[in-house]
């Protein structure tokens, strides 16, 4: 399954240029770009991601899986759906980019609450800032982060930044990437 997912990412989500022409969220320019929504929102991508990540967390005692909207949403939904089919339901949740401006004005949507343990997911990490924002909101809500899983690690320091931040928060969580940039670059050759 993982090999097929790497191939799908390469075919649908990966762009490469000899010159750094792709502007990243961080503001920098890069020779390569990953738009994982073309994979995470596809039926085959959802099937592969849901099964792969569910298998990665099946033995963890967690209530939910989610992260900062929009990158995390299709991933956490695929895993939640798969978890139900495999009779070990894990709730999907969303961390908003800004607090809801009416009603409860909350940052986090879903069926998780203070004291719950969760897995944080993201589609692509470069510096890790989106993942760190999600972890920050969860910590403020009294939710414990047990693990972080990223679909694609661009291998540009995000992993280290996230692990450092988790330690500062007192979360002894690990970070695991489903796919590394190097895995995709091997197909380019």
């Amino acid at each position: 399954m993982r090999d097929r997912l790497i191939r799908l990412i390469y075919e649908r989500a990966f762009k490469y240029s000899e010159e750094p022409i792709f502007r990243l969220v961080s503001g920098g320019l890069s020779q390569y770009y990953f738009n994982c929504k073309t994979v995470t929102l596809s039926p085959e991508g959802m099937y592969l991601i849901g099964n792969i990540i569910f298998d990665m967390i099946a033995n963890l005692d967690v209530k939910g899986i989610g992260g900062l909207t929009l990158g995390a949403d299709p991933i956490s939904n695929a895993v939640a759906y798969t978890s139900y089919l495999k009779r070990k339901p894990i709730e999907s949740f969303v961390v908003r980019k800004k607090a809801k401006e009416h009603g409860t004005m909350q940052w986090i949507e879903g069926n998780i609450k203070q004291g719950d343990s969760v897995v944080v997911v993201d589609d692509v990490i470069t510096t890790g800032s989106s993942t760190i924002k999600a972890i920050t909101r969860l910590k403020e809500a009294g939710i414990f982060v047990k693990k972080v899983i990223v679909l694609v690690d661009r291998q540009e320091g995000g992993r280290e930044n996230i692990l450092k931040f988790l330690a500062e928060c007192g979360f002894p969580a690990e970070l695991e990437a489903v796919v590394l940039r190097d895995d995709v670059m091997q197909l380019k050759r």
Side-chain angles (χ1 to χ4, degrees):
M1 272 195 211
R2 184 175 174 275
D3 289 342
R4 177 60 189 147
L5 181 59
I6 293 169
R7 171 64 61 184
L8 203 59
I9 289 169
Y10 177 74
E11 292 171 355
R12 292 189 180 184
F14 179 69
K15 304 261 187 259
Y16 180 81
S17 168
E18 290 297 323
E19 298 296 319
I21 62 168
F22 302 106
R23 180 142 331 264
L24 305 175
V25 173
S26 63
L29 292 176
S30 178
Q31 290 179 280
Y32 49 90
Y33 179 70
F34 292 91
N35 177 10
C36 287
K37 276 53 158 203
T38 58
V39 174
T40 62
L41 293 169
S42 74
E44 183 181 10
M46 287 181 187
Y47 171 78
L48 295 169
I49 291 164
N51 280 280
I52 290 168
I53 296 179
F54 175 79
D55 289 346
M56 294 168 74
I57 66 170
N59 294 326
L60 289 179
D61 182 22
V62 292
K63 172 78 186 261
I65 184 166
L68 194 69
T69 196
L70 174 72
D73 300 348
I75 296 169
S76 58
N77 291 339
V79 175
Y81 179 78
T82 302
S83 74
Y84 185 81
L85 293 176
K86 295 191 176 195
R87 294 183 165 79
K88 190 173 180 186
I90 300 168
E91 297 284 340
S92 178
F93 67 87
V94 173
V95 178
R96 293 173 175 272
K97 290 185 179 176
K98 65 180 198 168
K100 191 174 179 179
E101 295 179 358
H102 61 282
T104 58
M105 296 185 233
Q106 58 195 17
W107 285 94
I108 301 165
E109 296 290 347
N111 296 309
I112 59 169
K113 62 186 179 329
Q114 183 176 355
D116 287 341
S117 293
V118 300
V119 173
V120 172
V121 291
D122 208 341
D123 59 351
V124 180
I125 59 166
T126 304
T127 65
S129 63
S130 293
T131 307
I132 289 169
K133 285 177 188 170
I135 294 166
T136 300
R137 296 297 173 214
L138 292 163
K139 182 178 183 340
E140 291 169 353
I143 296 166
F144 186 80
V145 177
K146 252 193 182 168
K147 185 170 188 152
V148 174
I149 297 177
V150 297
L151 184 59
V152 176
D153 181 352
R154 288 176 49 96
Q155 298 175 280
E156 294 185 12
R159 173 188 191 86
E160 294 77 11
N161 292 340
I162 294 165
L163 288 171
K164 180 181 178 209
F165 187 74
L166 285 165
E168 290 169 1
C169 290
F171 296 142
E174 60 182 42
L175 185 148
E176 201 169 347
V178 178
V179 176
L180 300 174
R181 175 197 66 207
D182 289 350
D183 297 326
V184 177
M185 291 297 282
Q186 284 182 352
L187 294 179
K188 186 190 165 309
R189 296 176 191 157

